[in-house]
Amino acid sequence: MIRSSGKHYFYIGLILAMSSSLFIGGSFILKKKGLLRLARKGSMRAGQGGHAYLKEWLWWAGLLSMGAGEVANFAAYAFAPATLVTPLGALSVLVSAILSSYFLNEKLNLHGKIGCLLSITGSTVMVIHAPQEEEVETLNEISRKLGDPGFMVFVTLIVIVSLILIFVVGPRHGQSNVLVYITICSVIGALSVSCVKGLGIAIKELFAGKPVLKHPLAWILLLSLVVCVSTQINYLNRALDIFNTSIVTPIYYVFFTTSVLTCSAILFKEWQNMAADDIIGTFSGFLTIIVGIFLLHAFKDVNFTLANLPISLHKNDRGTNGSLPTPYERFNHDEETATHVGDLQSMEGMSSRRNGNLTPS
């Protein structure tokens, strides 16, 4: 699956991707702790336009942690296939959920714990079956791949679809349909990952002492990355502002990762030399992560733990098993029914007497 010549780079990329998830997941906790501390002091909150968080060291620690995570994620694309690095981004959500239950006293219910377990399982399966991309080590090689007719058609379709969504569909349905803005973020994100991959190769060449800064492709990739990331941030913020986070996050993860996998397969031909079991394993791991992320977000407000499970089973046991009531239960039920009927007849008689009707019913 992974040639021995590329194993070293593969494991470097894997370690960078996992460390990126740890840093990014932890950054949310640090920044949230800093904001909560400011709220207890009575400072104007960030949501109200306040900037007191700039004086809080915990918030700065979270910002630095996120910066370190993004740098590690950027570097991971230079060493490992995008098919591996991008899905592992889900681990940052998992890390954030676990740490928040310990440091922010946010409850992680049974669905969330199962979701975490599934995300870890799916990530492990994807690592085991990760594809081996074609060796691309210079900007000249990446330039030839970017000029491939198949990739040019793919980019053209992405640009056309994005422009239609931005200028035609977005103004009409963006406020009511969550898929519009998320689709824009996702398809543009596929191009941004390709730019990151190319810039990673350029940085490796720069450290090797090659005149990368004189190569026009390096600057084209950098400019394209700025445009793509700016567009992503803009429309992702719109989606988060309009729709619930528990809806946006899992849908965005699925759409974005699918777009990246498609783009990477076309550009780097990652699937050509994969065995059937590795292809099945990669897709199975991806689907497992999707289910885990869905459980983690969709049911996060449901108060359901292992302590509630026996009670729920006890309540539903009789209906589930289809068991018949015992003679004692039937006797009690008949007695209650007779009493209820007698009460109704008594009330009916009193009502008829109040209405002046002396004839018994």
Side-chain angles (χ1 to χ4, degrees):
M1 178 181 58
I2 301 171
R3 295 191 295 270
S4 58
S5 60
K7 280 188 177 181
H8 181 64
Y9 281 162
F10 176 84
Y11 289 120
I12 291 176
L14 176 60
I15 293 171
L16 287 170
M18 295 182 69
S19 62
S20 168
S21 296
L22 291 174
F23 280 119
I24 293 176
S27 71
F28 293 116
I29 308 304
L30 289 171
K31 289 198 285 188
K32 184 71 173 181
K33 289 283 285 185
L35 294 173
L36 290 175
R37 179 184 289 187
L38 290 172
R40 287 194 296 268
K41 293 179 181 178
S43 303
M44 182 178 289
R45 307 186 68 165
Q48 300 170 343
H51 300 283
Y53 58 85
L54 295 175
K55 300 179 181 179
E56 176 58 51
W57 71 270
L58 271 175
W59 186 88
W60 280 104
L63 184 64
L64 291 174
S65 178
M66 176 167 283
E70 293 296 345
V71 170
N73 188 60
F74 182 93
Y77 281 107
F79 294 98
T83 307
L84 172 68
V85 176
T86 303
L88 287 181
L91 293 179
S92 63
V93 180
L94 182 148
V95 170
S96 178
I98 293 176
L99 292 180
S100 64
S101 67
Y102 285 98
F103 297 103
L104 299 178
N105 295 321
E106 296 181 1
K107 300 297 183 183
L108 187 63
N109 59 19
L110 183 60
H111 298 92
K113 293 175 181 177
I114 295 174
C116 290
L117 180 61
L118 288 175
S119 297
I120 294 174
T121 303
S123 300
T124 304
V125 172
M126 288 205 71
V127 170
I128 294 173
H129 296 279
Q132 172 66 33
E133 65 187 8
E134 287 186 358
E135 295 294 335
V136 181
E137 298 181 352
T138 66
L139 281 177
N140 290 328
E141 292 178 6
I142 193 70
S143 177
R144 286 194 295 270
K145 286 191 170 296
L146 291 174
D148 184 77
F151 184 73
M152 294 299 295
V153 171
F154 177 75
V155 172
T156 303
L157 288 175
I158 283 183
V159 172
I160 293 173
V161 169
S162 299
L163 291 175
I164 292 174
L165 290 174
I166 291 172
F167 294 107
V168 179
V169 181
R172 298 178 182 177
H173 306 289
Q175 300 289 324
S176 57
N177 193 326
V178 68
L179 298 180
V180 176
Y181 291 149
I182 290 181
T183 303
I184 296 173
C185 299
S186 301
V187 296
I188 295 295
L191 297 182
S192 68
V193 169
S194 300
C195 294
V196 167
K197 189 79 175 176
L199 287 173
I201 294 172
I203 292 173
K204 285 198 296 185
E205 281 197 289
L206 182 64
F207 286 141
K210 297 181 180 180
V212 173
L213 299 179
K214 296 180 181 180
H215 203 300
L217 181 60
W219 298 104
I220 294 173
L221 290 173
L222 181 60
L223 179 62
S224 301
L225 179 63
V226 171
V227 173
C228 291
V229 171
S230 300
T231 306
Q232 275 184 272
I233 293 174
N234 179 29
Y235 286 96
L236 182 59
N237 285 337
R238 292 191 188 189
L240 290 170
D241 186 51
I242 298 170
F243 304 101
N244 195 304
T245 307
S246 62
I247 297 175
V248 173
T249 302
I251 295 177
Y252 176 62
Y253 173 79
V254 174
F255 277 42
F256 174 68
T257 307
T258 303
S259 299
V260 171
L261 294 180
T262 304
C263 179
S264 185
I266 295 173
L267 181 60
F268 296 106
K269 311 293 190 297
E270 295 177 343
W271 304 86
Q272 282 188 348
N273 300 318
M274 287 183 68
D277 58 338
D278 287 331
I279 295 176
I280 295 173
T282 300
F283 278 109
S284 299
F286 179 45
L287 291 175
T288 305
I289 296 174
I290 290 174
V291 174
I293 294 295
F294 176 77
L295 287 175
L296 192 58
H297 283 274
F299 301 101
K300 66 179 181 180
D301 295 325
V302 178
N303 186 19
F304 188 74
T305 62
L306 283 173
N308 306 127
L309 191 58
I311 299 175
S312 302
L313 291 175
H314 179 71
K315 287 181 179 179
N316 297 325
D317 182 58
R318 187 174 298 127
T320 303
N321 295 331
S323 57
L324 297 174
T326 62
Y328 179 73
E329 290 173 333
R330 285 199 298 270
F331 173 76
N332 283 341
H333 177 70
D334 294 341
E335 190 177 34
E336 290 174 0
T337 303
T339 304
H340 181 62
V341 172
D343 290 342
L344 289 176
Q345 290 175 346
S346 177
M347 290 173 65
E348 185 179 354
M350 291 175 64
S351 176
S352 63
R353 285 194 294 271
R354 280 198 299 269
N355 293 329
N357 183 8
L358 300 179
T359 305
S361 54

